[in-house]
């Protein structure tokens, strides 16, 4: 392959709290990640992405950082991280870590100093604003986690901004000292051998200094941002509280830093009213992000027409930018449940979804357990940990159902812990454990392994362009091409057989990935939840 490792690479996301617990406290740790790296390497992915393990009060489970250069004791210590990186590199895996730059915890030393007065050295490190004359917040901005994005602080007699929990105050990136401090923190981890960063809420760094009110979403337009219809955040167009033009200058500074460390990468998470436009803007040229992902395929919308529409829009609108595709992560309902209501063969459905993910043009982010075909776990209200779910229950159940422990064995603790797990382990997950699937050559795990192994050997799927075919009904069809290979991909995400004329003359049908699609009389024949790959 001629591209850098990240371009077309497969990244396996690990949620450390739920991956492997080595000390019996019910919470996963870095030693547990290191212990299971040979398993991850056996999937033949290119990299791991670690969700936050930094020092934190854990009100948002690590996305509220109180020390950017510390490992929280519940996960281990810095020596554990160094051992993890060394072992990952020995196994041929790159290491990407989350960076939560837009906000800190309210117990971070920076915020504790900033809130003491209006004239201390860090007084302007966070977003502070005076109240309106009637004492109400300075504008109508809302928190994603519910309620106003402003919280009153009696010490300064001002409000501070928080796009998430009140315990997650937003940093003021208009202050050059803040920008430099965060660049220095990233350099710290690069010097430790880290290979890249997943940038949380990468378009949230800057706010409009005019603090203008956001306009409402017009009545004739859908509310599509997060927890649509349940969360009042979706009622606004987020014109002034995120995605400000100054963000591009900071992305250029980030890229300049990364370019000093060859073979590293930046992938940004983008939640925006216009996600594709933002992705194109943020990945354009050689001076911004290497790649980005949006929530287009992480939404509740699904089906052949929706996927085709997403691919079409990316083909037309992303330009020279580079996407990183994901169907599941730690923030959304697992895709087998989110898209698969009423599916009569969940295992086959899980496999064809992986075929979809692995054949799109771009890089791939796979979430732990996705290779097992895990559905969303059932978590009763009394066991919920996620403040997002607690706030909007029962219409929105939060993110705990996708964050439950990885099932390594069928036993009650799922081989994850000898103690009480921090979230309950769904019995349905134990039935899909790694140990159980390893012993079955036709299991989802082994089929996905086979598919990944084959995909990694196909230049067209790793590097190639994509041509989408529009007139294939419920079959999703595209061709991936490089100078040396052309490969037709046809996918059936439905529970009925599809027969449709082949859009191109097909040569050899590839059987290696274990799917059952075939060619009959010039037609593509796709049984339920099956795929076809053919060389042209």
């Amino acid at each position: 392959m001629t591209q850098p490792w990240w371009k077309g690479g497969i990244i396996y996301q690990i949620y450390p709290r739920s991956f492997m617990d080595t000390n019996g406290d019910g919470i996963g740790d870095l030693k547990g990640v290191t212990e299971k790296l040979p398993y991850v390497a056996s999937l033949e992915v290119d990299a791991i992405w670690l969700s936050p393990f930094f020092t934190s009060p854990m009100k948002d489970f690590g996305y509220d950082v109180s020390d950017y250069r510390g490992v929280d004791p519940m996960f281990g210590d810095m020596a554990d991280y160094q051992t993890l990186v060394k072992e990952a590199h020995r196994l041929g895996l790159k290491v990407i870590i989350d960076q939560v730059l837009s906000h800190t915890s309210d117990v971070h030393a920076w915020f504790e100093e900033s809130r003491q007065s209006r004239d201390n050295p860090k007084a302007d490190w966070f977003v502070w604003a005076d109240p309106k004359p009637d004492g109400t917040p300075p504008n109508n901005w809302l928190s994603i986690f519910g309620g106003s994005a402003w919280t009153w602080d009696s010490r300064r007699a001002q409000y501070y901004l928080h796009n998430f929990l009140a315990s997650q105050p937003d940093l003021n990136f208009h202050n050059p000292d803040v920008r430099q401090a965060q660049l220095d923190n990233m350099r710290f981890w690069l010097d430790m051998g880290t290979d890249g960063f997943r940038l949380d809420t990468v378009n949230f760094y800057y706010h409009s200094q005019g603090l203008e009110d956001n306009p409402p979403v017009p009545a004739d337009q859908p509310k599509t941002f997060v927890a649509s219809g349940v969360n009042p955040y979706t009622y606004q167009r987020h014109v002034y509280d995120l995605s400000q033009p100054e963000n591009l200058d900071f992305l250029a500074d980030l890229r300049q830093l990364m370019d000093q460390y060859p073979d590293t990468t930046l992938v940004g998470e983008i939640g925006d009213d216009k996600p594709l436009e933002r992705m194109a803007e943020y990945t354009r040229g050689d001076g911004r992000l290497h790649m980005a992902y949006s929530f287009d395929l992480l939404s509740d919308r699904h089906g052949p027409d929706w996927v085709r529409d997403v691919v079409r829009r990316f083909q037309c609108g992303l330009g020279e930018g580079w996407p990183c595709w994901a169907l599941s992560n730690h923030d959304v309902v697992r895709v087998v449940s989110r898209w698969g209501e009423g599916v009569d063969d969940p295992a086959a459905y899980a496999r064809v979804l992986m075929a979809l993910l692995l054949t799109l043009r771009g890089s791939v982010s796979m979430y732990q357990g996705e290779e097992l075909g895990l559905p969303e776990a059932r978590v009763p209200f009394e066991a919920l940990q996620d403040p997002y779910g607690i706030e909007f229950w029962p219409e929105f159940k939060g993110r705990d159902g996708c964050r439950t422990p990885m099932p390594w064995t069928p036993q009650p603790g799922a081989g994850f812990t000898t103690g009480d797990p921090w979230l309950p382990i769904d019995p349905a997950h134990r039935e899909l454990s790694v140990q159980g699937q390893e012993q079955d050559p036709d299991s989802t795990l082994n089929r996905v392994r086979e598919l990944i192994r084959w995909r990694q050997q196909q230049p067209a799927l790793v590097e190639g362009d994509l041509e989408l075919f529009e007139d294939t009904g419920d079959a999703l069809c595209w061709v991936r091409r490089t100078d040396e290979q052309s490969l037709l991909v046809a996918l059936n995400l439905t529970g009925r057989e599809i027969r449709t004329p082949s859009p191109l003359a097909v040569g050899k049908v590839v059987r290696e990935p274990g799917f059952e699609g075939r060619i009959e009389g010039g037609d593509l024949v796709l049984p339920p939840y099956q795929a076809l790959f053919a060389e042209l």
Side-chain angles (χ1 to χ4, degrees):
M1 305 300 176
T2 58
Q3 301 182 143
W5 67 268
W6 55 266
K7 197 168 189 180
I10 302 174
I11 303 165
Y12 185 87
Q13 182 193 353
I14 293 174
Y15 194 69
R17 290 182 70 92
S18 296
F19 202 58
M20 182 64 191
D21 169 27
T22 61
N23 62 7
D25 66 356
I27 297 172
D29 43 54
L30 294 182
K31 287 182 178 178
V33 174
T34 303
E35 180 181 311
K36 294 298 185 181
L37 283 178
Y39 165 78
V40 178
S42 78
L43 300 174
E44 300 200 17
V45 299
D46 299 288
I48 60 170
W49 150 27
L50 297 173
S51 292
F53 52 86
F54 315 111
T55 311
S56 166
M58 298 293 163
K59 293 183 179 178
D60 191 22
F61 303 103
Y63 286 90
D64 47 332
V65 179
S66 58
D67 182 357
Y68 284 101
R69 302 190 188 191
V71 174
D72 194 280
M74 74 167 54
F75 296 120
D77 56 29
M78 194 61 72
D80 294 328
Y81 179 73
Q82 292 173 313
T83 299
L84 187 158
V85 171
K86 183 177 179 180
E87 177 65 3
H89 290 168
R90 186 187 72 81
L91 292 167
L93 295 167
K94 304 289 187 180
V95 178
I96 295 171
I97 64 175
D98 244 304
Q99 284 288 285
V100 190
L101 303 182
S102 68
H103 55 268
T104 73
S105 164
D106 61 353
V107 298
H108 194 292
W110 296 347
F111 187 69
E112 289 186 332
E113 181 175 354
S114 184
R115 74 190 317 179
Q116 295 304 315
S117 68
R118 298 190 184 195
D119 58 2
N120 66 76
K122 290 190 169 53
D124 194 37
W125 277 49
F126 293 83
V127 183
W128 295 95
D130 291 329
K132 290 180 178 178
D134 62 0
T136 56
N139 61 28
N140 70 346
W141 297 354
L142 296 173
S143 162
I144 288 179
F145 285 175
S148 174
W150 298 96
T151 288
W152 178 256
D153 188 273
S154 59
R155 287 160 229 179
R156 290 182 51 143
Q158 287 182 306
Y159 285 94
Y160 66 85
L161 178 68
H162 54 90
N163 278 295
F164 299 93
L165 295 175
S167 57
Q168 293 170 293
D170 274 62
L171 284 159
N172 177 20
F173 273 75
H174 293 284
N175 184 328
D177 293 335
V178 170
R179 297 195 298 272
Q180 188 58 54
Q182 292 295 45
L183 290 171
D184 290 344
N185 285 329
M186 295 178 75
R187 184 183 295 277
F188 172 84
W189 291 102
L190 289 167
D191 288 340
M192 298 281 289
T194 304
D195 301 294
F197 301 106
R198 179 264 190 186
L199 298 170
D200 185 63
T201 59
V202 70
N203 55 316
F204 280 61
Y205 299 155
Y206 283 84
H207 65 287
S208 171
Q209 291 182 292
L211 302 182
E212 302 92 335
D213 279 352
N214 280 328
V217 172
D220 60 346
Q221 293 184 13
K223 299 175 177 65
T224 59
F225 204 121
V226 285
S228 178
V230 175
N231 190 342
Y233 191 85
T234 64
Y235 286 67
Q236 292 183 0
R237 289 186 59 231
H238 294 277
V239 177
Y240 299 110
D241 52 346
L242 51 86
S243 301
Q244 298 305 294
E246 297 96 328
N247 219 41
L248 295 175
D249 293 332
F250 183 65
L251 296 185
D253 292 341
L254 283 177
R255 183 59 178 268
Q256 188 175 34
L257 170 65
M258 300 302 288
D259 288 346
Q260 298 172 34
Y261 295 82
D263 223 21
T264 59
T265 191
L266 291 169
V267 54
E269 174 203 37
I270 294 176
D272 190 82
D273 294 331
K274 300 177 179 178
L276 178 57
E277 179 181 315
R278 205 61 57 221
M279 284 181 65
E281 182 181 42
Y282 281 22
T283 61
R284 186 178 300 131
D286 295 326
R288 298 175 185 176
L289 302 179
H290 296 91
M291 50 185 170
Y293 76 88
S294 72
F295 289 83
D296 291 88
L297 294 183
L298 293 168
S299 74
D300 292 338
R301 299 183 67 179
H302 63 283
D305 289 339
W306 171 248
V307 174
R308 190 180 292 116
D309 179 64
V310 170
V311 174
R312 181 192 310 115
R313 287 188 284 109
F314 272 70
Q315 288 293 100
C316 297
L318 194 55
E320 63 188 88
W322 192 256
C324 183
W325 297 100
L327 297 179
S328 291
N329 70 10
H330 65 293
D331 281 334
V332 300
V333 173
R334 286 183 177 273
V335 69
V336 172
S337 297
R338 196 174 75 250
W339 287 7
E341 184 177 356
V343 164
D344 56 4
D345 190 346
Y349 189 59
R351 297 169 196 175
V352 77
L353 289 175
M354 287 302 303
L356 164 66
L357 182 63
L358 292 165
T359 59
L360 292 168
R361 178 181 177 269
S363 302
V364 170
S365 179
M366 249 176 87
Y367 184 47
Q368 65 182 52
E370 204 168 356
E371 73 278 13
L372 304 176
L374 295 186
E376 185 80 348
R378 296 182 296 273
V379 181
F381 179 77
E382 59 271 17
L384 284 187
Q385 303 289 324
D386 182 17
Y388 199 7
I390 293 169
E391 176 71 20
F392 292 110
W393 180 277
E395 286 76 14
F396 175 67
K397 295 180 174 60
R399 302 166 295 179
D400 287 333
C402 64
R403 296 178 174 185
T404 56
M406 182 79 169
W408 297 102
T409 73
Q411 280 70 47
F416 162 74
T417 185
T418 57
D420 295 325
W422 75 286
L423 281 172
I425 299 171
D426 195 318
H429 282 198
R430 290 193 282 114
E431 293 175 5
L432 296 171
S433 71
V434 172
Q435 184 182 86
Q437 295 202 38
E438 289 277 19
Q439 298 166 2
D440 178 4
D442 292 323
S443 69
T444 299
L445 170 59
N446 283 317
R447 288 299 190 188
V448 169
R449 266 204 191 108
E450 184 182 4
L451 178 61
I452 292 174
R453 185 178 303 119
W454 174 78
R455 184 262 191 192
Q456 298 289 59
Q457 297 169 355
Q458 310 306 312
L461 295 182
V462 178
E463 300 183 350
D465 294 330
L466 185 149
E467 178 186 359
L468 174 69
F469 297 106
E470 298 278 3
D471 300 321
T472 52
D474 283 340
L476 290 168
C477 294
W478 46 75
V479 168
R480 300 292 310 279
R481 285 193 179 94
T482 62
D483 290 341
E484 57 190 302
Q485 184 187 36
S486 294
L487 200 63
L488 174 68
V489 177
L491 306 167
N492 180 5
L493 305 185
T494 78
R496 59 178 181 80
E497 182 174 280
I498 296 174
R499 179 184 287 264
T500 187
S502 176
L504 294 170
V506 175
K508 176 185 175 184
V509 175
V510 179
R511 294 292 181 188
E512 285 80 352
F515 288 102
E516 299 175 2
R518 61 190 186 275
I519 302 288
E520 288 183 0
D523 288 345
L524 306 178
V525 181
L526 300 170
Y529 316 122
Q530 291 294 320
L532 177 148
F533 307 95
E535 294 179 350
L536 303 180

